[in-house]
Amino acid sequence: MSDDSLPCLAKVELRVTCKGISDRDALSKPDPCVLIKMQSHGQWLEVDRTEVIRSSISPTFSKVFTVDFYFEEVQRLRYELYDISSNHNGIKEADFLGAMECTLGQIVSQRKLTKPLLKQGSTVSKSFIMVTAEELTGNDDYVELSFSARKLDDKDFFSKSDPFLEIFRMNDDDTLQLVHRTETVMNNLNPVWKTFKTSLNSLCSGDHDRPLKCTVWDWDSNGKHDYIGEYQATFKEMRGAMDGRQVQWECINPKYQIKKKNYKNSGIVILNQCKIIKMHSFLDYIMGGCQIQFTVAIDFTASNGDPHNSCSLHYIHPYQPNEYLKALVAVGEICQDYDSDKMFPAFGFGAQIPVTVCVLFCVFPTYVYGCAGIQGVVEAYQTCLPKLQLYGPTNIAPIIQKVASSASQEMHTKEAMQYFILLILTDGVITDMADTREAIVQASHLPMSIIIVGVGSADFSDMQMLDGDDGILRSPKGEPCLRDIVQFVPFRNFKHGSPAELAKTVLAEVPNQVVDYYNNKGIKPKVPSEFESSRTFAP
C-alpha cells in the first residue's frame, strides 16, 4: 500500500470481529459489513470490505484483509461498520454504525486490538471492534544439507576423480536455476562435501514436491569438467534425512545406461543430514511481546543559537515546528506504537544547567520513567528551553552509554522482550569522536540501534564514518563493530520533503537490526502463550 519503491517488510493478515452492535430497530437485527480504509496523502481510500452477515449483533467476518507492513511508516487504518439491508449491498444507502481508527503498528504490536466504535466523536453504546493480526509467512526458512558420495566413476587416468555436486531447481517454465555448487574434493571417489545452508525459497520455491536436478562432475583445471552422472530428487525425499537416517540416490549417466549392458550406476550420492532452520522475522519478535524502547537525546549546545532569536535552530515558532521537533515527531510517532507504556526517556546534552555543569541531564525536571507519549517529549522540550543556558561541548558518548546500560540489563535476560532505539538530534559534528566510536562498538553487542539526525547547515561529513554503510566502524583500539547499528542522516536532505520521508530512511534498517541481533544470539521470539497476552497498552 506504500508509494515507496522499497519492498514491504512483511504481509499481514487482518481479521475482524464486532461485538454488541446496536440494533437498527426493535424488529430486526443489523446486517453488518466492515470497510477497511487506508490513509494516503491525507485521503481515506477503501482497500477492501468484508462480506455482509445477516441478522447479527456480534459478527465474526470470514473475509481476511491482506496488507503490506512497513515498520518505517505510520500506516493509518480506518474501519467503518455499516448496516446493509437485505434489499441491496450498496454502501451509499446503508446505515453508518460507527468507525474505529488506528495504525497498523498498533495492531501488530498487540496482535489483537480491541477498541470502541465511534460515531460523530462519541462511543456507540457498548459496540466494539476487534482486529487480530497474523503475519503471512513466506518460504523464509533455511535448510542445512550434508552430502557425500561413494564409488563414483573414475574419470582421470593418473589419479582419481575430483568430484563436485551441483543442485538445480526446476522452474515452472522448465528452465533450471542453480541452487548450490559444492566445493571440489580432490582425488577422491568417496567424497564428503561440506555442510551448506540455503533457503527453502531458493531450493524449491517452498514447493516440497518440486523436481531438483542434481549433477556430479569431475573437476578439471581447464574448466571442461567431466560429467559423472545425475539424479533427480525432491525436498520431500530429502526430509527423510531429518530423523538421522540417510537418503540415497543412484547417480546415473544416461549414455552409459544405453551403451553398457551391465551398467548399474556411476556411484551413490548420500544425504547424511537435512535440518530445517526457522528464520524468525521482525514481526515474530514484535508479536511475541518484544517492546521497542524509544529514547531521544537533544543537542543544547550554544552553536544552535539563542532560542529567543528566530534564526536559532531551537526557536519555537507559533505555527511552524523547528527541525528538532519535526525529526523527533516523525521518528517517535512510529516507534511509540511498539511501546506498551508510552513513557519515553528524553535527555539533553551540551547545556549549562543551574545545578552543576553536566553532560547528561533529564530534559524534563519531573522525569521519573519518561515523558508520556511523544507529545509529552515535545512539551518537555518546549518547557525546559527557557530554563537552559546553551553551552557545550557536543559529547554524545555519555548518552549512548546511558542507553547501553539499560540494554545491557536486557541482554542478560536472554529473552526478546526489549529492544532499544536511541534518537540523537544534533546540530554539529561531535567533539568526543573517539569515545563515541568506542561506545558504539560496545553497543553493537547489545539489543539497541542508534539514529543520528544532523540538524542545520553544518558540515556533517565527519559524521558519516559512524554509519557503517561504507565500511566497518572500529573503536580507537581497532575493535570492529559486531553489527551495523548506526544510521546517520542530515535533516537538510529532507527539508523540501515530508518528515515521513526522513522517518522512512532512518528506520528502514531497524527491523533487520532487531532480527540480526536476536538471531545471532540464538534468542527465539516468544509464542503468544509464553507471555501475558492481556498487556495493558496506552491509547
Side-chain angles (χ1 to χ4, degrees), residues 194-488:
K194 290 180 181 176
T195 299
F196 65 92
K197 186 170 71 174
T198 185
S199 71
L200 267 181
N201 190 53
S202 175
L203 180 65
C204 60
S205 302
D207 178 1
H208 293 197
D209 292 309
R210 182 178 293 274
L212 305 172
K213 182 182 177 182
C214 308
T215 308
V216 181
W217 299 89
D218 171 31
W219 178 85
D220 279 335
S221 58
N222 62 7
K224 295 180 180 179
H225 311 305
D226 296 318
Y227 176 79
I228 293 178
E230 65 184 62
Y231 62 95
Q232 188 167 297
T234 64
F235 180 63
K236 187 176 182 179
E237 294 170 355
M238 291 180 178
R239 285 168 52 190
M242 290 179 62
D243 56 3
R245 294 180 300 167
Q246 292 181 334
V247 179
Q248 301 182 3
W249 296 270
E250 286 189 298
C251 187
I252 302 297
N253 185 325
K255 287 184 179 178
Y256 288 179
Q257 207 170 27
I258 295 170
K259 289 180 180 179
K260 296 184 178 183
K261 244 186 182 180
N262 299 320
Y263 176 79
K264 288 186 177 180
N265 57 56
S266 294
I268 302 292
V269 177
I270 305 155
L271 177 60
N272 301 291
Q273 176 188 303
C274 175
K275 183 180 177 184
I276 294 179
I277 302 167
K278 172 67 178 173
M279 300 301 290
H280 298 290
S281 70
F282 175 69
L283 284 183
D284 285 335
Y285 288 102
I286 294 299
M287 292 181 172
C290 184
Q291 300 278 294
I292 299 293
Q293 299 294 333
F294 179 66
T295 301
V296 62
I298 300 172
D299 183 334
F300 288 117
T301 54
S303 54
N304 283 280
D306 183 351
H308 299 96
N309 189 317
S310 60
C311 295
S312 170
L313 293 171
H314 280 302
Y315 180 68
I316 303 296
H317 193 282
Y319 307 112
Q320 180 68 29
N322 60 37
E323 290 185 8
Y324 280 101
L325 286 174
K326 285 180 181 177
L328 164 63
V329 172
V331 178
E333 192 177 38
I334 291 169
C335 293
Q336 70 178 353
D337 284 343
Y338 305 89
D339 186 338
S340 61
D341 64 10
K342 305 275 187 284
M343 298 297 289
F344 304 115
F347 297 106
F349 59 94
Q352 196 170 31
I353 58 175
V355 226
T356 54
V357 179
C358 63
V359 181
L360 183 66
F361 62 95
C362 298
V363 169
F364 207 19
T366 58
Y367 164 90
V368 182
Y369 298 110
C371 304
I374 295 305
Q375 188 55 38
V377 179
V378 170
E379 291 170 3
Y381 165 75
Q382 293 173 330
T383 301
C384 78
L385 261 179
K387 304 172 184 177
L388 299 175
Q389 180 182 341
L390 275 56
Y391 200 65
T394 310
N395 291 347
I396 66 172
I399 298 277
I400 296 171
Q401 291 162 351
K402 176 73 176 175
V403 176
S405 174
S406 299
S408 178
Q409 295 174 22
E410 168 66 15
M411 183 183 73
H412 293 309
T413 67
K414 296 183 179 177
E415 291 185 341
M417 293 308 292
Q418 292 186 95
Y419 190 91
F420 295 77
I421 294 179
L422 169 60
L423 172 64
I424 299 174
L425 307 173
T426 180
D427 83 316
V429 177
I430 58 177
T431 50
D432 62 341
M433 184 63 80
D435 290 343
T436 297
R437 284 165 53 199
E438 178 67 34
I440 291 172
V441 168
Q442 297 309 313
S444 71
H445 294 261
L446 304 173
M448 69 179 284
S449 296
I450 301 167
I451 297 165
I452 305 174
V453 178
V455 175
S457 56
D459 180 5
F460 292 111
S461 53
D462 287 348
M463 298 285 280
Q464 298 289 353
M465 72 173 293
L466 299 178
D467 190 326
D469 289 347
D470 298 326
I472 298 175
L473 176 71
R474 294 180 180 273
S475 71
K477 299 173 186 175
E479 182 185 351
C481 255
L482 185 66
R483 301 181 297 125
D484 177 13
I485 64 167
V486 177
Q487 181 77 354
F488 170 79

Side-chain angles (χ1 to χ4, degrees), residues 18-23 30 32 56-59 81 97 117 125-127:
C18 295
K19 298 287 184 185
I21 300 174
S22 300
D23 289 0
S56 177
I57 61 171
S58 297
L81 178 65
L97 300 180
L117 286 164
S125 63
K126 295 180 181 179
S127 300

Side-chain angles (χ1 to χ4, degrees), residues 120-133:
Q120 296 175 341
S122 59
T123 304
V124 182
S125 63
K126 295 180 181 179
S127 300
F128 288 87
I129 186 167
M130 180 171 69
V131 184
T132 58

Side-chain angles (χ1 to χ4, degrees), residues 20-63:
I21 300 174
S22 300
D23 289 0
R24 183 176 52 204
D25 54 56
L27 300 176
S28 62
K29 292 180 180 179
D31 302 327
C33 172
V34 173
L35 269 65
I36 180 173
K37 295 183 176 181
M38 184 170 280
Q39 196 172 73
S40 178
H41 304 293
Q43 301 292 317
W44 288 109
L45 303 177
E46 182 180 341
V47 175
D48 209 341
R49 62 180 67 178
T50 67
E51 74 277 18
V52 178
I53 295 182
R54 300 299 175 191
S55 301
S56 177
I57 61 171
S58 297
T60 297
F61 298 96
S62 63
K63 172 72 177 180

